Every structure is written in C-alpha cells, then in structure tokens.
Amino acid sequence: MSPPSCSNITIHLYPLILLILLRTVVVLSAADLNSNQTRRPMVIPLHLSTSNISNHRTGDYHRRQLQNSDLPNAHMRLYDDLLSNGYYTTRLFIGTPPQEFALIVDTGSTVTYVPCSTCEQCGKHQDPRFQPDSSSTYKPMKCNPSCNCDDEGKQCTYERRYAEMSSSSGVLAEDVLSFGNESDLTPQRAVFGCETMETGDLFSQRADGIMGLGRGRLSVVDQLVEKEVVSDSFSLCYGGMNVGGGAMVLGSISPPSDMVFTHSDPYRSPYYNIELKELHVAGKRLKLNPRIFDGKHGTVLDSGTTYAYLPEEAFLSFKDAVMKEIKFLKQIHGPDPNYNDICFSGAGRDVSQLSKIFPEVNMVFNNGQKLYLSPENYLFRHTKVSGAYCLGIFQNGKDPTTLLGGIVVRNTLVTYDRENDKIGFWKTNCSELWKRLQVPGAPAPAPAVYPSGSGSEGLPPTQAPSGSSPDFLPGEIRIGIITFDMLINVTNSDMKPNLTEVAEFIAHELQVDNLQVHMLNFTSERNSYRVRWGIFPAQSAEYISSATAMNIILQLKDHRLHFPEKFGSYQLVEWKIEPPRKRTWWHKHLLAVVAGAASIVLVSLLSIGIWMVWRHRQRALGTYEAVGGIVPEQELQPLSS
C-alpha cells in the first residue's frame, strides 16, 4: 500500500512521519483474492511480481471495451482540507437501509473498509459503526480457497499493516453500496471489509475508513467495471489552499481539449505511476538526469499522501532553484520545532497573489507535455505566522522513488484513464467544479424528517398547508433568514479562528454563495468562541427556498459540516429560521431613493468643485479681489500625530 491515506496527518507531522507515510502492506489481505503471495515490508510502494500483474491484467473484465457514453457515472463530493487532516473524504452509503460513512479517498489502497459493530478495538470516528444486523442485504463472504479464513473457517478475512505501525483487520462481506443523491449510478452490490480491529493512526483518525481506488479485484473501481456498470476510468479534483472540498467521478468523463496526459504503466506496479522527465522552476530546467524520476518505482501518484517527495538530488536542486527566486523573503523556522521545514515570511495572506511572489514550476512528461504547478501546488501555510508559507515538497530519504501526493494536484482535475493506460491533468477550480458536475434529472434527495425539537424555534404551524405531513418541510414555505450559533473550540488559546475563512468554508459546505453568510455576533471565553451566523437569501432573491433551507438545516442538525482541524472543532448550539420580512414601499425602493439622492449630492459637489477650481484659477491670475484685499492661499498641512 502507498503513503498514508488513512493517517490522521496534521501539518505538524512532517518529513519524519511522512517518510513513513510511504506505507506498504506487510501482510497480504485475503482481499486480493487472486494472489496468496506474501510481501516484505518496505518504505516505498509495493511492487507486484510480473506473474501476479499478468494474472491481474489478463482478466477479461479489465480490458472490456466499456466506452459506451450511455454508461452512468457516480458523481461524489469530496470533503475536508488536505493539510488539515492529511486526506480528503467522500460519503459512501452501505447496506439497506443505507448507513452513511466518511471514507478517505485513496488511490493507493484496494480494499474499502469501515468499522464493524462487532469491532473489539476501533476508535471513535465521525459516524456510527456499521451494523450488519440492520442491513437486509448484508451477506458474509464464505470461506473459500482463494481467501484467508477466520479461526472458525467460516468467513473470509483481510488484514492490512502499514509501515507507520497502523493496521486494519476484519472480515469480508458483500452489501449494497450507494453513491449519494447527486449520482446517476444506481446502488450496486460489492465486497468490502468490516473492521474488527484497528491500530495506530487508523484508530485515532476522524474519518471512518478507507475507500480503495487502487488496482486490484477488491477495488471499488474494479468491481464496478467488472459489473460493466461504469467504464474503466475515474477522476479526482481536490480543492485549493483557500477552499477545500472538490469532486470525484467514478466512470469516464469527456476530457477537456487542453488536458495534459502522460502514460501510466500498469505492469510496473499496482500503483498509478506517471512518466516524469523534467522539472522547470521560473522557466529554467533543473540540471537533472531524466532517469532520476524513474528510479526504483518511478514517479507514483497517490491521492492518500499529503505532500510530495523527491529523490535527494532532485529535491536539493528544486529547493535551491525556488530559494534563488525569493531572496527578498525572510526564511523562518517551521511551525513545529521538531522538523526542519523550509519556510518564508512576508508573502501575505492572499493566496491569489502568491504567483506574483513565488516562481512558476512545470512538470514535463516524456511526451513533452507540461503540467503547470502554481505556488499552492508546492507550498503549505505556516500555522503560526500569518503570511508565511513552507515548502510542501520534501526529500524522500535515500529512496530514489518520486512520490506525488495530494498537494501537487490541488485545483487540478486528475483523470485516471485505466482503459487507455494514461493519466490526465487539467487545471481548474475544483471547489466550483462540483457545482458544474451536477447532472440535470439526477434522482432527487430522499424526503428528510423535519428537524423539529432541536432546541430552536421551528416554523410556525400556521405556515404549513393543510393536509401536509408535519414530518416534512412543506414545499411552499418561504424562509427569510436561517441563524445558528456555533461554538468553536480550539486546543491552543493563540489559535483564534479566522472568521472570514470560516464563513467561506460554511458557504462552501452549505452550497450557498459567500455573500449569503454573515457573522451576526461573536463572543469568546478562553479557548472557546461562540459565533452567530446568518444565512440570507441570495442577492437576487427575496427568500430562501424550502429545498435549500432543508438541506442547510439537516447539515447543521446532523453535524455534517466537515470542520477542518485548522479551525478547531465545532458544536451547534441552536438554530432558528425566520419568515421573510414584509417589505414596505421604502424597503423595495430604498436603493433607488439612495441612488437618486446620491446623484443629486454628486452633481452638487461637482458643481461646487468646478466653481472652486474656476475661483482658484481666477485668484492665481490676479483678476479676483475679495473685499479687504487678497488673502494668500495656505498649503494644507498634514495632521500631527
């Protein structure tokens, strides 16, 4: 397995821990089913034997021509900030009725697993554990010659051990996987792991488990392709430094005309590799032998790794080239004294301006195509110094493998075209891409129970139409403002949350415009901050639709805001909804009245200004003499401090 998509990595865990992030499977899971070969622990991605890869690739399902444009796609939203948690998650539903889980999106993993209700050693995660007895479609995978079996010889088991000393083990089962209301892919039966034990970072992380997107028969992608319900491709798009989130598509998409592609050799390893040839900094090619990026396992692309790692010579050359371009910035210590991070202050907080300060970087592939990297693709924010940034590319110890983690592909649509053995890159705004991926005619969300009795004021009963069920929010109800109090807790008294960023995050999570979110009140006490937020109608609307309001209320009530750790943790104290306020003639026409008055004032001031200029010119010419003689004009003096 590859670097820790499953670790709860904060930006305080740097090279030492993240070198270990190149986690690999020590004990082969029964999940691979088609191979019983054991593997030695290594600190780099695992390399399958040729025979094993051949067996995998000769499976008919892997090479079927599934390029029918009529095949559905699973459009799934991504959550969290890469450098807050070290990973991105998506929401997957398992069982009948569906049970919801937040799973780390990991291209370096094959098995998808979640904590089971019978787990004897599982941590406290974001969602309740999976309840097999509550699912009418749950089916254990019976013991067979192609899998490892439990002690009783009844059920297949899996085990995953990682180099950073974390592990996951449990039983294999089959159930219905659902991909959310935004997806046009119907629920599908698939094999997954039901954890009975987890250790290390897997135990302590907030996410529930792993969604495996790697190459292997138990990968979600491989299982869907084998069923011929999606084509052999998927895409990921991670949000940027300012706004996280993003999108994932299981199945093919039409690539943009200017998407940059590189070959990906499936025979080299089970991981997704690319053919990197050169690195350019500020338009200048680094003087490196192209073979440096092809050492050992080559250049591996892994969505589950936070940062990027280069072989020693390449890292030193890259670091020196970047520092040469920013000599005017002050080099400072990193946020954690235990690590020798390379950081710089004085760049400012506006991420959109970083490209004017830090150099452009380009990755050149063997086919000559280039992928542009903006500063947010190789920098991360300093957590203790405002306007300071650190290099998010590190030396990969003495290992010659090049490893590219999620930071390199922020705000980049990455398409894993497994059918044609290539990977494509396209720069875009991944947070906005999610909105553009919404499919017209997609299944509507299931009716949701109206969250009454939550300790806040609900809708007045008189607003509900007669004959409607009190359990649901009536469609014709109009809502003016949604207010809610959020209690934000931070571990360090010096870590006051940036409320502007929090407001942008809330807008992104609730899928409303940034201008609709307003801070109404703010109080603080020690390490806690109580903030009252208001969600207002869009600028062109007089009210919030009931569908939008229901989505907002349910996300708040069910604590579905995936709060980045850089903001601390939050608790919803109370919420309230208010009907639209009746607008008088003055409210409706206030803007026009103000604009008219402003125009009159402007014209008056302009007239006075013209007269003053004329008067000044006349005095300068000596043609105007006031009563009592000419008084020389005085130069305006600056105000004294």
Side-chain angles (χ1 to χ4, degrees):
M1 194 164 176
S2 63
S5 54
C6 53
S7 305
N8 184 15
I9 307 166
T10 67
I11 60 177
H12 299 293
L13 301 177
Y14 298 130
L16 183 60
I17 297 298
L18 288 168
L19 285 176
I20 302 177
L21 288 185
L22 293 172
R23 56 178 200 226
T24 50
V25 181
V26 177
V27 178
L28 177 63
S29 164
D32 282 309
L33 296 184
N34 61 336
S35 173
N36 291 321
Q37 178 184 0
T38 57
R39 306 169 184 173
R40 295 181 302 166
M42 294 184 286
V43 192
I44 32 89
L46 210 57
H47 182 67
L48 293 181
S49 67
T50 304
S51 60
N52 194 15
I53 297 175
S54 300
N55 290 336
H56 169 68
R57 288 296 301 237
T58 54
D60 289 340
Y61 73 91
H62 191 83
R63 274 308 192 191
R64 285 174 182 152
Q65 299 300 312
L66 296 176
Q67 297 185 0
N68 187 340
S69 59
D70 294 332
L71 287 176
N73 288 336
H75 294 171
M76 304 175 71
R77 188 175 176 184
L78 296 182
Y79 301 91
D80 297 340
D81 180 76
L82 180 68
L83 298 181
S84 295
N85 294 316
Y87 51 73
Y88 275 88
T89 63
T90 191
R91 308 298 288 182
L92 189 69
F93 303 82
I94 305 177
T96 307
Q99 301 176 42
E100 186 176 8
F101 299 95
L103 302 184
I104 296 169
V105 174
D106 190 2
T107 60
S109 301
T110 52
V111 186
T112 295
Y113 52 81
V114 297
C116 211
S117 60
T118 57
C119 185
E120 298 177 355
Q121 184 179 313
C122 285
K124 184 178 180 181
H125 302 296
Q126 183 169 318
D127 298 290
R129 298 176 183 179
F130 178 71
Q131 304 284 338
D133 294 339
S134 299
S135 175
S136 61
T137 48
Y138 178 83
K139 182 180 178 181
M141 181 173 285
K142 294 182 179 180
C143 184
N144 62 75
S146 64
C147 74
N148 293 326
C149 302
D150 58 16
D151 294 338
E152 299 177 356
K154 294 182 178 180
Q155 190 168 355
C156 288
T157 62
Y158 78 94
E159 184 173 7
R160 285 289 187 265
R161 295 184 183 275
Y162 308 115
E164 80 275 15
M165 304 307 293
S166 64
S167 66
S168 171
S169 58
V171 296
L172 291 174
E174 186 183 62
D175 210 331
V176 174
L177 303 188
S178 306
F179 307 95
N181 292 321
E182 292 84 3
S183 172
D184 58 354
L185 178 64
T186 59
Q188 301 290 327
R189 293 194 66 86
V191 176
F192 72 102
C194 202
E195 283 185 308
T196 56
M197 179 175 290
E198 56 187 17
T199 64
D201 290 331
L202 287 174
F203 182 89
S204 59
Q205 71 187 15
R206 173 175 167 78
D208 300 312
I210 297 291
M211 183 172 182
L213 301 174
R215 292 189 176 106
R217 292 193 63 187
L218 287 189
S219 166
V220 169
V221 179
D222 284 69
Q223 293 190 66
L224 295 178
V225 170
E226 186 174 12
K227 292 176 178 290
E228 299 188 17
V229 295
V230 300
S231 55
D232 199 1
S233 176
F234 68 94
S235 299
L236 294 173
C237 201
Y238 286 176
M241 187 181 288
N242 257 351
V243 182
M248 174 171 69
V249 177
L250 300 181
S252 65
I253 60 175
S254 298
S257 59
D258 54 346
M259 177 170 265
V260 174
F261 284 96
T262 176
H263 179 68
S264 181
D265 184 1
Y267 295 95
R268 180 159 190 171
S269 78
Y271 302 100
Y272 299 105
N273 53 71
I274 60 176
E275 295 182 340
L276 180 61
K277 181 181 180 181
E278 298 174 359
L279 276 180
H280 294 187
V281 177
K284 303 173 184 176
R285 175 182 173 274
L286 300 185
K287 297 180 180 179
L288 297 168
N289 189 318
R291 287 181 294 180
I292 195 170
F293 301 112
D294 196 39
K296 208 161 188 179
H297 296 278
T299 299
V300 175
L301 188 66
D302 191 337
S303 70
T305 299
T306 308
Y307 302 99
Y309 300 86
L310 302 177
E312 182 178 9
E313 183 182 354
F315 166 73
L316 294 175
S317 180
F318 173 79
K319 180 198 68 172
D320 292 344
V322 171
M323 294 182 68
K324 183 179 179 181
E325 299 296 324
I326 53 173
K327 291 181 179 179
F328 54 91
L329 294 180
K330 180 182 179 182
Q331 186 171 351
I332 61 174
H333 294 293
D336 192 326
N338 295 317
Y339 303 102
N340 188 26
D341 291 321
I342 301 172
C343 305
F344 311 91
S345 65
R349 297 188 59 178
D350 190 347
V351 176
S352 65
Q353 300 300 310
L354 292 183
S355 58
K356 298 179 180 179
I357 301 171
F358 290 91
E360 173 182 318
V361 174
N362 282 285
M363 295 170 54
V364 183
F365 302 123
N366 278 3
N367 57 11
Q369 293 192 317
K370 294 181 180 180
L371 173 62
Y372 161 70
L373 301 184
S374 63
E376 71 174 353
N377 296 126
Y378 62 86
L379 298 174
F380 65 89
R381 271 200 181 98
H382 197 297
T383 56
K384 295 182 178 179
V385 179
S386 178
Y389 301 85
C390 308
L391 284 184
I393 296 181
F394 303 96
Q395 179 181 328
N396 194 8
K398 298 298 181 181
D399 194 289
T401 299
T402 297
L403 181 65
L404 304 180
I407 189 174
V408 174
V409 291
R410 288 199 286 201
N411 275 335
T412 305
L413 174 66
V414 183
T415 294
Y416 298 78
D417 186 351
R418 309 185 338 159
E419 181 68 39
N420 298 298
D421 296 335
K422 61 182 182 179
I423 295 178
F425 303 88
W426 185 62
K427 298 293 293 184
T428 186
N429 185 325
C430 289
S431 299
E432 293 298 323
L433 179 66
W434 168 250
K435 299 177 183 177
R436 299 202 298 272
L437 284 175
Q438 301 307 300
V439 183
V449 177
Y450 177 68
S452 59
S454 61
S456 60
E457 299 177 21
L459 287 174
T462 55
Q463 287 187 314
S466 59
S468 65
S469 168
D471 291 335
F472 301 99
L473 188 64
E476 53 267 42
I477 290 178
R478 297 181 175 184
I479 296 169
I481 305 173
I482 301 174
T483 62
F484 59 94
D485 284 20
M486 175 184 287
L487 188 64
I488 301 176
N489 296 304
V490 296
T491 56
N492 189 334
S493 58
D494 295 331
M495 291 176 58
K496 181 178 178 180
N498 185 319
L499 296 179
T500 300
E501 292 185 11
V502 176
E504 293 175 352
F505 163 79
I506 291 174
H508 178 264
E509 287 288 289
L510 299 181
Q511 299 183 44
V512 298
D513 190 89
N514 288 351
L515 297 177
Q516 292 180 245
V517 181
H518 297 265
M519 186 187 72
L520 305 179
N521 192 25
F522 175 84
T523 58
S524 62
E525 182 178 350
R526 294 186 179 179
N527 294 351
S528 296
Y529 301 88
R530 181 162 178 159
V531 188
R532 175 164 297 172
W533 300 99
I535 310 296
F536 290 76
Q539 286 183 313
S540 59
E542 295 184 7
Y543 60 89
I544 301 173
S545 69
S546 59
T548 301
M550 174 58 71
N551 177 62
I552 292 172
I553 292 169
L554 287 179
Q555 288 198 66
L556 293 173
K557 174 180 175 291
D558 296 341
H559 295 275
R560 294 183 186 175
L561 298 186
H562 303 285
F563 220 55
E565 289 187 4
K566 67 179 180 180
F567 296 152
S569 61
Y570 88 96
Q571 179 182 355
L572 182 67
V573 181
E574 63 177 353
W575 56 265
K576 181 172 66 174
I577 53 181
E578 301 177 6
R581 297 172 182 173
K582 293 184 178 180
R583 301 180 68 192
T584 64
W585 184 93
W586 282 103
H587 285 102
K588 294 179 180 179
H589 301 88
L590 180 61
L591 184 60
V593 172
V594 171
S599 300
I600 294 173
V601 173
L602 182 61
V603 171
S604 300
L605 291 176
L606 185 60
S607 301
I608 294 173
I610 294 173
W611 179 78
M612 290 294 292
V613 170
W614 175 83
R615 180 171 179 264
H616 173 77
R617 286 178 57 81
Q618 297 291 34
R619 297 179 84 180
L621 294 173
T623 57
Y624 174 80
E625 183 174 340
V627 177
I630 298 176
V631 179
E633 297 184 27
Q634 301 295 319
E635 181 181 357
L636 293 177
Q637 300 297 322
L639 295 175
S640 59
S641 57

